[in-house]
Amino acid sequence: MIFYDCTTAPSPRRARMFIAEKGLDIETRQVDLGKGEQLSQEFLAVNPLATVPVLVTDNGVTLTENIAIATYLEAVHPEPALMGSTAEERAQVMMWNTIVDQQCALPVADVLRNSHPKMAGRALPGPDDFEQIPELAARGKARVKIFHDRLEQQLQDRQYLAINQFSLADISAFVITGFATQVGMPIPPVHSASLEWQARIADRPSAAV
Ligand SMILES: N[C@@H](CCC(=O)N[C@@H](CS)C(=O)NCC(=O)O)C(=O)O
């Protein structure tokens, strides 16, 4: 297998953390997004969507989405289970992973990509250029705040986000809320359940990857 990574970007970090939790050692190639390497002919030949992470399986199948990478690795390396064990647990992990993607990852990306001067003309990842829309940054900020409230509510009476054990949903939420902090939108100090959850996940060795 070959894993295409970028150490400074949140999406590949989600895959890295999943790989670390599985205890896997996968050949890794760095794609420097800062230098625009995702748009090089060499990388576009691997992933025409021009994004990381990418996992190429031993059979040469190319997986370009975090959820696809996690689903594949969970199937070929079932232990430890990171996507639930029963039908209901699997569904809950998928549900919360999707909520994190749609209600936190996309808004955080909207904020950064529509406000940072370095992202001018690159408001969406991918091979096509889009101009920034400042209103999307403002909307993204409001949506992240709403997500923080939802996270705090969900974590009131539980240790982990989706099920009674650590899962992919925790990885996604931990990496993306951490990235939101870098972008100036940390979990509010009064959200004690979320901050305890964040510290709990940060203690795991995989959080260091
Ligand atoms: N759907 C993808 C999203 C991947 C994605 O957006 N990756 C970003 C890095 S966080 C990227 O490759 N950006 C390239 C760019 O900004 O041109 C996933 O979660 O796996």
Side-chain angles (χ1 to χ4, degrees):
M1 284 192 276
I2 303 174
F3 176 59
Y4 290 85
D5 187 15
C6 172
T7 51
T8 53
S11 297
R13 185 176 177 215
R14 287 165 68 172
R16 274 205 310 280
M17 209 167 151
F18 193 93
I19 290 166
E21 287 283 344
K22 289 284 182 191
L24 301 173
D25 187 14
I26 300 179
E27 180 185 339
T28 298
R29 297 193 188 154
Q30 291 297 325
V31 180
D32 190 333
L33 300 184
K35 289 187 181 156
E37 285 179 3
Q38 74 277 28
L39 298 170
S40 67
Q41 286 311 312
E42 191 189 349
F43 185 67
L44 288 174
V46 176
N47 179 14
L49 297 176
T51 54
V52 280
V54 177
L55 184 74
V56 181
T57 72
D58 285 339
N59 294 324
V61 173
T62 303
L63 304 173
T64 64
E65 307 302 312
N66 258 300
I67 192 66
I69 293 170
T71 301
Y72 173 74
L73 292 177
E74 182 89 345
V76 291
H77 298 282
E79 298 297 331
L82 293 173
M83 297 176 75
S85 299
T86 64
E88 280 170 346
E89 281 185 2
R90 284 191 199 101
Q92 285 172 300
V93 171
M94 289 301 285
M95 179 174 84
W96 274 100
N97 197 66
T98 305
I99 291 171
V100 172
D101 263 338
Q102 295 183 349
Q103 300 184 20
C104 188
L106 285 177
V108 174
D110 273 347
V111 173
L112 179 70
R113 301 198 74 112
N114 288 286
S115 64
H116 200 291
K118 280 194 179 158
M119 299 281 182
R122 290 287 304 154
L124 286 172
D128 306 301
D129 290 340
F130 287 93
E131 291 306 323
Q132 293 176 324
I133 302 174
E135 288 84 354
L136 286 180
R139 188 186 71 177
K141 269 190 192 151
R143 293 189 70 206
V144 172
K145 190 174 173 304
I146 292 168
F147 178 79
H148 280 151
D149 291 345
R150 191 157 288 143
L151 182 69
E152 179 66 9
Q153 197 183 6
Q154 172 69 1
L155 290 169
Q156 283 307 300
D157 52 2
R158 47 174 66 241
Q159 301 253 307
Y160 298 107
L161 183 56
I163 55 177
N164 283 336
Q165 62 186 41
F166 178 81
S167 77
L168 171 70
D170 294 292
I171 294 178
S172 299
F174 176 76
V175 171
I176 299 300
T177 54
F179 189 60
T181 302
Q182 280 178 258
V183 177
M185 297 174 291
I187 291 172
V190 291
H191 285 195
S192 52
S194 302
L195 292 170
E196 281 167 26
W197 162 84
Q198 194 176 46
R200 195 173 304 127
I201 310 296
D203 268 349
R204 303 178 76 89
S206 67
V209 299

